[in-house]
């Protein structure tokens, strides 16, 4: 049968792709309908911005301002650079708006569980209690007048791992928009995604939340336009290498990891808010979630729980909001 | 590598004679004593203290001061030549005439004409010839070669290699009259110094990976630090041009060891640093979901791709620092395997192909580099050279 001209795409879409390692994971950007030279220059700029943000926020870089805070802030009030001060202020606001569910001070508690997980054990009640004395954003004092930071307890530690990627995506998206980019797909480790505009061949960017036990299957689909999607969850393994790793999320309210395999995906016009809410909602009991979400606009969310059945894990949407 | 079962019967044993029992010769002894089915039947060195020290290590070996007498010894299957460079060709030719298998240390020969003579003498012969470029037998370099062939780094667009040491490169001399004999690497009548004794290794790898020999080269060399009466350069810089426009940039010096030694094989998709055994991607590969998205975009499909999921764990952090070419710890740089391969080739009567070609390409290459520096002009690959 003869194919009519109009059935074919009028011209092949020009696609530019670049991946790089940043913030402990892989960042990928896909741009469409932009000439390769311009796209290349944009990608270089994005990589540079990501590195700068990483240097500001990484707790693994011993010379970062976050490492400096973690070393000194339990002894003295520390004056962080403006960029970090703004991030800490934002994090405190989100902590309040999520009623303590989003918290950047959980590192000592996470670390306790991670170390025990590696040894195949569970920490004692006393150890959990001790760690809980060193976590909680109420113990992080931000002095608005002097713009200084002080930790109330010895051993406190800031970890921006659950915030940085969303924050960076929001910055990158804003910068690309300023440069005239209308369509883009940006991904941080595929757990944080931001899109600009829509897919060139459809009304939105359709993004599937994949079944973590059967990655080619979509459990839910988000039709994304100018928004961000973040997924948090407990995983049995690192999706890339297949090896068993600590993939749990500790609930700040009781100091224990949340149970079972479950994920929370949140779409929001703001990359930061999607990132913050995906962890916050996961550790918040279902009955309290709507109250938190009433303080945020244009958010949709879905929780997927994996039920064990005949030796297989079957995903089910248990809770959703804003659809 | 051919793995041949080795029996205990004397007829299964390969009987070898070593010509030259200096530093390299002694290393060969150490490896051969551990190689099954090999008998070191004879040792030869015209420097008596080296010969006696060698005979003390190898029980039952016959000692010779003149290699020609060793070649006449009945029952000898093959020889290993670890003598100064200027003797290589003569010894190879005499060994072939005496119907012996030959393992010759790098570099192949002292002049291009001699390289040609050795290649000509071996052409059509069923005798095993092997050259002491052990990187061809190193699991790390073999893996690197496989990656390049599979397109992992794209087309090779440049190779940079260097070998740096910090020291005078001298052997202790008990009497001044022995200076030239024991420090032959420093004098032009016996060697081409850094080029033949070190550069030949990396030039062999470069030619092997690029699948050809260079078209020409230019370079500068000088003695700028070890001004102790030596004749050969203590620092060399040579650029080789290949017919397809690829360049190999080589340098070597013996007054700074900060960068050590490395061969960097570069292409648009990645870099291999073979001496440290790592490969670095220019950009990491995207996740499968992103690949699917890109394919859809390029081909005009509008489909939902499964991308989103929790990536709670830092994935692939190791890739930011490159990946190992070979995961196991490798202690042999290829020398031990290459000697075992030589013995197996003799036993099975099946020479490893391509050895003379590799020997000639590397051997001629470094002599071109030496000539370019000495004559201060561009030196072309010798027209009509038959590998």
């Amino acid at each position: 049968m003869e194919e009519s001209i109009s059935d074919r795409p009028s011209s092949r879409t020009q696609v530019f792709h670049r991946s790089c390692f940043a913030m402990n994971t892989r960042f990928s950007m896909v741009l469409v309908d932009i000439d390769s030279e311009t796209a290349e220059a944009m990608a270089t700029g994005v990589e540079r911005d990501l590195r700068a943000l990483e240097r500001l926020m990484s707790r693994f870089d011993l010379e970062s301002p976050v490492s400096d805070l973690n070393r000194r802030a339990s002894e003295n009030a520390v004056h962080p650079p403006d960029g970090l001060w703004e991030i800490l202020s934002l994090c405190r606001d989100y902590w309040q708006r999520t009623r303590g569910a989003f918290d950047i001070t959980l590192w000592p508690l996470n670390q306790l569980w991670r170390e025990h997980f590696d040894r195949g054990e569970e920490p004692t009640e006393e150890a959990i209690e001790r760690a809980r004395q060193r976590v909680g954003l109420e113990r992080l004092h931000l002095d608005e007048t002097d713009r200084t930071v002080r930790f109330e307890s010895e051993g406190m530690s800031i970890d921006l791992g659950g915030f940085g990627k969303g924050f960076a995506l929001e910055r990158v998206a804003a910068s690309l928009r300023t440069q005239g980019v209308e369509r883009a797909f940006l991904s941080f480790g595929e757990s944080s995604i931001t899109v600009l505009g829509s897919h060139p061949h459809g009304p939105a960017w359709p993004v599937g939340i994949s079944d973590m036990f059967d990655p080619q299957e979509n459990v839910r689909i988000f039709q994304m336009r100018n928004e961000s999607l973040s997924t948090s969850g407990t995983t049995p393994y690192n999706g890339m290498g297949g090896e068993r790793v600590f993939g749990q999320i500790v609930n700040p309210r009781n100091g224990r990891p949340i149970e079972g395999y479950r994920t929370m995906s949140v779409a929001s016009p703001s990359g930061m808010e999607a990132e913050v809410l995906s962890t916050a909602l996961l550790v918040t009991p279902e009955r309290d979630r709507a109250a938190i979400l009433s303080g945020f606009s244009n958010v949709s969310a879905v929780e997927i729980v994996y039920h064990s059945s005949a030796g297989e894990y079957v995903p089910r949407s248990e809770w959703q909001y804003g659809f | 590598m051919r793995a041949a079962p080795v029996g205990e019967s004397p007829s299964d044993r390969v009987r070898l004679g070593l010509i030259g029992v200096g530093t390299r010769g002694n290393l060969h002894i150490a490896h051969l004593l551990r190689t099954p089915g090999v008998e070191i039947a004879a040792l030869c060195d015209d420097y008596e203290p080296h010969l006696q020290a060698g005979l003390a290590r190898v029980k039952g070996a016959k000692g010779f001061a003149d290699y020609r007498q060793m070649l006449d010894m009945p029952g000898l299957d093959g020889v290993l030549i670890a003598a100064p460079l200027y003797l290589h060709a003569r010894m190879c030719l005499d060994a072939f005439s005496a119907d012996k298998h030959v393992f010759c240390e790098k570099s192949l020969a002292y002049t291009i004409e001699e390289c040609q003579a050795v290649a000509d003498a071996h052409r059509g012969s069923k005798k095993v010839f092997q050259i002491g470029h052990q990187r061809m037998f190193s699991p790390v370099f073999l893996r690197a070669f496989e990656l390049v062939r599979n397109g992992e780094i794209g087309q090779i667009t440049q190779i940079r290699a260097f070998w740096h040491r910090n020291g005078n490169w001298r052997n202790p001399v008990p009497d001044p009259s022995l200076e030239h004999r024991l420090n032959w690497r420093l004098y032009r009548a016996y060697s081409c110094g850094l080029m033949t004794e070190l550069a030949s290794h990396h030039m062999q790898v470069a030619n092997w990976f690029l699948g050809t020999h260079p078209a020409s080269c230019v370079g500068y060399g000088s003695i700028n630090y070890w001004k102790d009466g030596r004749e050969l350069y203590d620092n060399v810089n040579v650029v080789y041009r290949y017919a397809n426009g690829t360049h190999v940039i080589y340098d070597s010096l013996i007054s700074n060891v900060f960068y050590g030694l490395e061969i960097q094989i570069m292409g648009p998709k990645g870099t291999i640093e073979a001496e440290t055994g790592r490969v670095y991607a220019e950009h990491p590969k995207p996740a499968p979901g992103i690949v699917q998205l890109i394919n859809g975009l390029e081909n005009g499909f509008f489909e939902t791709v499964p991308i989103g999921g929790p990536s709670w764990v830092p994935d692939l952090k190791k890739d930011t620092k490159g990946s190992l070419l070979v995961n196991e710890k490798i202690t042999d740089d290829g020398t031990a395997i290459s000697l075992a391969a030589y013995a197996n080739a003799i036993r099975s009567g099946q020479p490893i192909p391509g050895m003379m070609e590799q020997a000639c390409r590397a051997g001629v290459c470094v002599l071109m580099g030496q000539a370019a520096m000495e004559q201060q002009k561009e030196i072309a690959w010798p027209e009509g050279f038959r590998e």
Side-chain angles (χ1 to χ4, degrees):
Chain A
M1 200 172 74
E2 209 175 70
E3 190 186 28
S4 75
I5 299 289
S6 60
D7 285 348
R8 293 190 213 130
S10 54
S11 66
R12 227 175 122 87
T13 308
Q14 192 170 7
V15 183
F16 173 86
H17 159 258
R18 169 66 59 80
S19 290
C20 67
F21 287 106
M23 299 189 175
N24 256 6
T25 185
R26 177 179 41 201
F27 171 81
S28 294
M29 70 188 275
V30 179
L31 303 177
V32 286
D33 296 329
I34 294 179
D35 72 276
S36 60
E37 204 173 319
T38 311
E40 190 78 42
M42 285 176 177
T44 307
V46 166
E47 280 191 45
R48 192 188 51 227
D49 294 347
L50 290 178
R51 304 239 177 282
L53 287 173
E54 187 171 8
R55 276 197 302 276
L56 185 67
M57 294 191 279
S58 171
R59 58 168 292 119
F60 303 106
D61 175 352
L62 293 178
E63 298 188 358
S64 76
V66 165
S67 293
D68 184 48
L69 276 186
N70 288 343
R71 265 195 307 271
R72 302 196 293 130
S74 53
E75 288 174 12
N76 304 301
V78 178
H79 181 83
D82 287 352
L84 183 56
W85 172 266
E86 279 149 27
I87 287 168
L88 295 175
S89 306
L90 281 168
C91 289
R92 185 184 47 186
D93 292 348
Y94 285 126
W95 173 72
Q96 281 163 347
R97 291 168 69 188
T98 60
R99 305 174 178 201
F102 169 77
D103 194 325
I104 56 168
T105 67
L106 301 180
W107 179 263
L109 203 48
N110 278 319
Q111 206 45 14
L112 177 74
W113 283 95
R114 186 175 294 120
E115 282 163 9
H116 282 79
F117 174 88
D118 289 345
R119 293 198 296 266
E121 298 164 1
E122 199 169 286
T124 61
E125 283 300 330
E126 295 76 50
I128 294 171
E129 264 322 300
R130 271 199 306 279
R132 292 188 73 186
Q133 299 307 312
R134 290 181 276 130
V135 306
L137 226 140
E138 69 276 11
R139 293 186 170 89
L140 181 80
H141 300 294
L142 303 183
D143 184 322
E144 301 283 351
T145 334
D146 297 341
R147 285 200 159 207
T148 55
V149 182
R150 200 173 54 78
F151 295 163
E152 192 179 285
S153 325
E154 188 86 15
M156 283 179 66
S157 198
I158 287 170
D159 174 19
L160 294 171
F163 181 77
K165 289 183 286 189
F167 180 77
L169 278 175
E170 200 159 323
R171 286 284 183 89
V172 169
S175 150
L176 290 177
R177 261 191 214 104
T178 316
Q179 295 174 72
V181 175
E182 289 171 357
R183 297 177 201 276
F185 188 97
L186 312 169
S187 166
F188 246 127
E190 289 65 71
S191 63
S192 307
I193 291 166
T194 293
V195 301
L196 266 60
S198 58
H199 191 290
H201 310 300
W205 292 92
V207 173
I209 303 299
S210 64
D211 180 341
M212 66 168 105
F213 294 93
D214 188 2
Q216 274 304 304
E217 290 301 315
N218 293 313
V219 183
R220 277 300 280 261
I221 294 164
F222 282 82
Q223 299 292 343
M224 296 178 67
R225 268 182 77 95
N226 290 315
E227 65 185 334
S228 297
L229 175 68
S230 170
T231 302
S232 290
T234 51
T235 57
Y237 30 62
N238 176 340
M240 310 302 301
E243 69 271 31
R244 239 179 100 75
V245 290
F246 179 77
Q248 293 174 317
I249 289 181
V250 179
N251 186 346
R253 291 196 177 85
N254 61 9
R256 299 190 149 271
I258 59 166
E259 289 186 358
Y261 295 132
R262 57 182 70 217
T263 62
M264 179 68 73
S265 300
V266 178
S268 158
S270 153
M272 240 177 346
E273 297 192 352
E275 188 89 20
V276 162
L277 287 172
S278 63
T279 357
L281 293 175
L282 197 64
V283 299
T284 299
E286 219 177 289
R287 61 177 183 277
D288 299 334
R289 287 174 183 165
I292 290 176
L293 287 168
S294 64
F296 292 85
S297 315
N298 299 314
V299 168
S300 53
V302 61
E303 181 182 30
I304 294 156
V305 180
Y306 292 78
H307 294 274
S308 177
S309 157
E312 283 190 14
Y313 282 98
V314 181
R316 206 158 63 202
S317 304
E318 294 268 303
W319 173 87
Q320 63 177 41
Y321 176 91
F323 280 94
Chain B
M1 215 55 50
R2 254 173 240 119
V6 178
E8 283 304 310
S9 82
S11 60
D12 251 6
R13 239 178 297 150
V14 173
R15 303 184 81 228
L16 300 176
L18 256 78
I19 308 175
V21 199
T23 313
R24 194 70 189 165
N26 267 290
L27 195 69
H28 287 335
I29 291 176
H31 286 308
L32 290 172
L33 288 174
R34 289 196 296 264
T35 308
V38 168
E39 179 190 336
I40 305 174
L43 296 178
C44 169
D45 205 303
D46 63 356
Y47 182 57
E48 186 67 14
H50 281 177
L51 179 61
Q52 288 311 325
L55 289 171
R57 287 183 75 192
V58 188
K59 301 284 171 264
K62 275 193 83 172
F64 295 91
D66 185 333
Y67 75 93
R68 280 158 299 203
Q69 285 172 13
M70 188 180 96
L71 291 175
D72 291 337
M73 177 181 161
L76 200 64
D77 295 309
V79 297
L80 281 99
I81 299 168
L85 178 75
Y86 76 108
L87 297 168
H88 284 187
R90 197 186 310 165
M91 290 172 169
C92 283
L93 295 174
D94 287 342
F96 287 145
S97 301
D99 209 27
K100 303 295 177 207
H101 302 286
V102 173
F103 181 108
C104 182
E105 259 310 327
K106 57 82 219 176
S107 184
L108 178 58
Y110 180 70
T111 67
I112 292 173
E113 293 70 30
E114 286 179 351
C115 291
Q116 184 67 80
V118 174
D120 287 345
H122 184 255
R123 195 169 295 113
S125 152
K126 287 199 168 50
K127 288 288 152 192
V128 174
F129 173 84
Q130 214 170 297
I131 184 81
H133 286 311
Q134 66 270 16
R135 283 164 182 75
M136 284 187 279
F137 295 85
S138 147
V140 177
F141 279 80
L142 286 164
R143 174 71 185 143
F145 185 73
E146 192 184 2
L147 287 186
V148 168
R149 202 180 42 193
N150 294 346
E152 198 79 13
I153 65 164
Q155 175 202 326
I156 295 176
T157 47
Q158 180 169 292
I159 295 178
R160 219 158 54 170
F162 49 86
W163 201 318
H164 298 177
R165 291 177 174 182
N166 196 343
N168 64 10
W169 217 32
R170 287 184 160 279
N171 291 312
V173 178
D175 184 283
S177 66
L178 294 167
E179 165 67 8
H180 281 223
R181 261 173 95 180
L182 297 179
N183 281 314
W184 55 270
R185 293 187 302 189
L186 308 181
Y187 299 98
R188 187 65 181 91
Y190 319 104
S191 170
C192 293
L194 295 174
M195 291 309 292
T196 46
E197 312 311 326
L198 297 181
S200 57
H201 281 306
H202 284 152
M203 290 315 300
Q204 182 272 317
V205 174
N207 293 329
W208 172 29
F209 277 54
L210 291 168
T212 184
H213 57 73
S216 68
C217 71
V218 292
Y220 289 104
S222 72
I223 301 172
N224 67 12
Y225 187 75
W226 295 106
K227 298 176 182 179
D228 56 3
R230 72 185 60 205
E231 295 166 3
L232 287 162
Y233 303 137
D234 65 5
N235 75 102
V236 295
N237 301 70
V238 186
V239 179
Y240 290 90
R241 179 182 67 86
Y242 287 70
N244 71 350
T246 311
H247 302 151
V248 174
I249 302 157
Y250 184 84
D251 79 280
S252 182
L253 80 163
I254 46 176
S255 53
N256 179 301
V257 75
F258 186 73
Y259 289 104
L261 85 159
E262 192 51 89
I263 179 160
Q264 301 163 326
I265 301 150
M266 297 176 243
K269 291 201 227 159
T271 302
I272 289 173
E273 295 198 334
E275 294 289 354
T276 41
R278 286 185 170 270
V279 55
Y280 304 84
E282 284 286 280
H283 298 292
K285 288 197 181 89
I290 304 276
V291 174
Q292 211 177 320
L293 173 77
I294 294 167
N295 286 341
L297 285 167
E298 283 179 339
N299 295 303
F301 303 144
F302 178 68
E303 57 170 355
T304 304
V305 288
I307 294 182
S311 77
W312 187 240
V313 217
D315 53 293
L316 299 176
K317 187 149 202 284
K318 63 181 192 311
D319 277 17
T320 60
K321 295 188 175 67
S323 342
L324 287 171
L325 287 165
V326 173
N327 282 318
E328 310 89 78
K329 178 138 184 63
I330 307 274
T331 47
D332 174 34
D333 69 350
T335 306
I337 310 175
S338 74
L339 291 175
Y342 175 53
N344 275 343
I346 294 174
R347 190 178 300 111
S348 65
Q350 290 177 292
I352 298 167
M355 289 293 113
M356 185 60 83
E357 184 183 74
Q358 291 296 317
C360 284
R361 284 180 183 176
V364 170
C365 227
V366 293
L367 297 172
M368 285 165 63
Q370 186 70 19
M373 291 186 286
E374 286 173 353
Q375 298 169 31
Q376 297 205 6
K377 66 174 193 190
E378 183 175 11
I379 300 291
W381 176 263
E383 208 179 322
F385 189 93
R386 298 170 311 282
E387 294 163 341

